[in-house]
């Protein structure tokens, strides 16, 4: 078996984070009317994508990200809010949502008997543990490597080197990173000399600067891909 150790990102790879966030946002108890319509949700996702990118580049800490994103978000619409209070309410709702990407549970069940499955995530410890447990997929994973606990975020090479050292005697050539983020998962894997699978359900064009080893458009594509490597 070429890749006995599979390193899975969680958000937008296994967890349907966009859907979970949207459902949580629409449950917020706000002192003003706000519909979270299509355009408003699109801006939420765009802002979060930008801020998580700043985290990856060490321009923001995770605490700064979560404590300022609501004030930044509503400021875009000319509304002043207590960003920390909004975040606290949102987290209670968001962490309780646990929708999965199509095929996630089935693919984990199929892979678990034959591979060591590992989580690699920049998401918070509280969120990831609660959502994994609520989705009933936590038991598939032997280890969880979370940026909050390691002190490094993907794509920092220290993150991946810590993972590699902890999983020894497995070697880097035994490991395969699976994730949706070119900047965090794929770039981090490339810098650490790990093979990678870019999960690309939207069929986005691959930038010339990105170098995933493989690409899939749905999670079920992972099974034939791995079988072809054996």
């Amino acid at each position: 078996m070429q890749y006995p150790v599979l390193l899975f990102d969680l958000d937008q790879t296994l967890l349907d984070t966009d859907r979970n966030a949207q459902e949580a946002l629409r449950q917020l108890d706000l002192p003003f009317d706000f519909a979270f319509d299509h355009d408003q949700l699109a801006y939420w996702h765009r802002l979060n994508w930008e801020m998580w990118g700043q985290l990856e580049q060490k321009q923001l800490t995770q605490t700064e990200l979560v404590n300022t994103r609501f004030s930044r978000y509503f400021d875009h619409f000319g509304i002043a809010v207590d960003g920390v209070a909004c975040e606290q309410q949102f987290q209670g709702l968001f962490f309780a949502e646990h929708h999965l990407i199509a095929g996630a549970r089935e693919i984990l069940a199929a892979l678990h008997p034959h591979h060591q499955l590992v989580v690699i995530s920049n998401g918070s410890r509280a969120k990831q543990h609660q959502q994994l447990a609520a989705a009933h997929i936590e038991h598939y994973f032997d280890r969880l490597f979370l940026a909050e606990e390691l002190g490094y975020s993907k794509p920092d090479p220290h993150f991946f080197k810590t993972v590699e050292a902890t999983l020894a005697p497995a070697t880097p050539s035994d490991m395969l990173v699976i994730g949706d983020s070119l900047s965090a998962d794929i770039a981090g894997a490339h810098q650490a000399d790990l093979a990678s699978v870019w999960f690309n359900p939207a069929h986005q064009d691959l930038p010339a600067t990105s170098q995933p080893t493989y690409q899939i458009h749905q999670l079920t594509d992972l099974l034939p891909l791995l079988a072809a490597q054996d």
Side-chain angles (χ1 to χ4, degrees):
M1 183 182 298
Q2 184 168 357
Y3 300 118
V5 183
L6 304 180
L7 311 179
F8 278 94
D9 173 55
L10 286 181
D11 291 299
Q12 289 304 114
T13 299
L14 297 175
L15 295 170
D16 192 342
T17 305
D18 284 355
R19 179 180 176 186
N20 292 331
Q22 289 173 191
E23 297 203 5
L25 289 168
R26 286 175 169 154
Q27 296 175 61
L28 286 173
D29 184 14
L30 299 171
F32 49 86
D33 290 332
F34 199 84
F36 287 106
D37 61 23
H38 179 272
D39 290 340
Q40 292 163 344
L41 287 171
Y43 180 67
W44 169 265
H45 294 310
R46 189 163 67 250
L47 175 64
N48 271 269
W49 180 84
E50 174 188 323
M51 294 182 75
W52 281 102
Q54 292 171 340
L55 175 73
E56 293 166 10
Q57 299 302 314
K58 301 182 181 179
Q59 298 168 357
L60 272 182
T61 66
Q62 192 166 47
T63 299
E64 290 170 334
L65 187 157
V66 298
N67 284 342
T68 63
R69 62 177 168 181
F70 273 99
S71 54
R72 287 180 60 176
Y73 174 74
F74 281 114
D75 183 66
H76 178 79
F77 300 100
I79 303 170
V81 301
D82 181 335
V84 175
C86 283
E87 181 67 33
Q88 290 173 344
Q89 184 187 166
F90 172 73
Q91 286 190 14
L93 297 165
F94 181 40
F95 293 5
E97 298 291 336
H98 52 269
H99 296 286
L100 297 173
I101 297 290
R105 183 176 287 103
E106 293 77 10
I107 200 74
L108 293 174
L111 293 171
H112 182 253
H114 311 290
H115 297 264
Q116 181 180 6
L117 306 185
V118 175
V119 164
I120 54 169
S121 174
N122 285 348
S124 74
R125 177 175 52 237
K127 171 192 175 299
Q128 306 302 46
H129 279 287
Q130 185 171 335
Q131 291 186 328
L132 285 172
H136 303 294
I137 61 172
E138 193 171 34
H139 63 285
Y140 289 120
F141 297 101
D142 295 324
R143 295 294 300 261
L144 275 67
F145 293 95
L146 305 177
E148 185 177 336
E149 297 173 345
L150 271 59
Y152 305 103
S153 298
K154 298 177 295 182
D156 192 320
H158 290 94
F159 182 103
F160 290 92
K161 292 304 180 185
T162 301
V163 172
E164 290 175 15
T166 306
L167 294 178
T171 66
S173 62
D174 293 327
M175 301 176 192
L176 181 67
V177 172
I178 301 132
D180 70 299
S181 173
L182 289 172
S183 58
D185 305 310
I186 305 308
H190 181 69
Q191 293 172 34
D193 295 321
L194 298 176
S196 63
V197 176
W198 181 33
F199 176 49
N200 179 23
H203 294 257
Q204 300 175 65
D205 291 334
L206 178 65
T209 54
S210 295
Q211 298 177 292
T213 314
Y214 312 102
Q215 182 177 167
I216 60 173
H217 300 299
Q218 53 189 9
L219 288 177
T220 51
D221 292 339
L222 196 55
L223 288 176
L225 186 156
L226 289 169
Q229 311 312 312
D230 294 342

